[in-house]
Amino acid sequence: IVVDAASSADVRPVVLRYDDPRLRWLRLGVHTGSPALVRNAGTLLAEGAYVAYLDDDNAYDPRHISELYSALSRDPTRVGAYGDRRYVRMDRFSICWPVRSRDWDPAWLLTQGNYIDTSDLLLRRDVILQMGGWNPSIRGFEDWDLVGRIARHGWAMIHVPLTLTEYTCHEGNLFQILYRKIRKKSLI
């Protein structure tokens, strides 16, 4: 499922190039400014038991879905799986941030910070729906909110210690914008 949040790029021809009846495309009529609304739309359209999310400036390792699904298949008590990520520059070769990893640790998540990015995840769709989906009132930390709600429900996820996602660092992504704001405040 490709959800186009009224981007300026013409995504439809790219999607239509793939002759696959499983592939669906939804173009929202207006740019919402809320990644949560876009993810909720995709989750509602999904028919499978699991959902994964990939932002347009990130990339999956070819093993991403299979490794996470395999981990979940071995432990059906877990509601999701996540891998590690590498932060790369726009050229996709130079690393701008080290690989982050940590096993599932709800106490850390709820008190210290998020270490699981949206694109790192493979989640049970029924769990996302049971929690009411992604919170559209949060912009910038909606992944931390969702993972935190999973932790507060007492559910657990499994960490797959493989680098399965590339997160692209560029001036326009939220990670960079928030990092610059924090750095500016710390220098004042």
Side-chain angles (χ1 to χ4, degrees), residues 11-186:
V11 177
R12 185 179 169 98
V14 175
V15 174
L16 293 177
R17 264 198 313 235
Y18 297 93
D19 186 23
D20 188 335
R22 299 171 301 166
L23 185 61
R24 288 185 283 161
W25 174 70
L26 170 67
R27 179 172 172 84
L28 302 179
V30 62
H31 181 69
T32 65
S34 170
L37 287 173
V38 175
R39 293 181 185 124
N40 285 337
T43 302
L44 290 172
L45 283 174
E47 297 173 358
Y50 297 98
V51 181
Y53 305 90
L54 182 64
D55 292 335
D56 63 353
D57 54 357
N58 298 337
Y60 282 161
D61 178 283
R63 305 166 297 159
H64 183 89
I65 300 294
S66 63
E67 290 289 346
L68 298 179
Y69 179 76
S70 178
L72 284 170
S73 297
R74 289 190 301 272
D75 188 350
T77 66
R78 306 294 178 122
V79 300
Y82 60 95
D84 297 335
R85 95 187 69 81
R86 166 180 40 246
Y87 292 94
V88 297
R89 297 193 193 287
M90 290 294 287
D91 63 16
R92 287 274 201 245
F93 296 106
S94 55
I95 296 175
C96 64
W97 204 269
V99 174
R100 299 176 66 184
S101 65
R102 180 182 276 285
D103 285 339
W104 179 248
D105 185 347
W108 177 275
L109 276 165
L110 296 172
T111 61
Q112 302 299 312
N114 189 26
Y115 52 88
I116 305 171
D117 184 72
T118 301
S119 295
D120 299 336
L121 292 164
L122 178 65
L123 295 168
R124 280 187 16 207
R125 182 174 174 266
D126 65 320
V127 167
I128 300 166
L129 295 174
Q130 184 178 337
M131 292 189 312
W134 297 80
N135 185 341
S137 70
I138 297 175
R139 175 146 162 67
F141 296 101
E142 67 278 350
D143 48 5
W144 189 7
D145 171 71
L146 186 83
V147 171
R149 286 188 285 141
I150 288 171
R152 284 189 296 278
H153 272 86
W155 292 319
M157 292 199 282
I158 189 164
H159 172 230
V160 176
L162 297 170
T163 302
L164 299 173
T165 309
E166 285 190 349
Y167 184 105
T168 306
C169 301
H170 56 83
E171 292 299 314
N173 70 9
L174 196 53
F175 176 79
Q176 292 294 322
I177 292 167
L178 294 172
Y179 178 75
R180 283 194 305 272
K181 286 181 180 180
I182 291 168
R183 290 282 300 151
K184 185 177 180 181
K185 286 183 181 181
S186 69

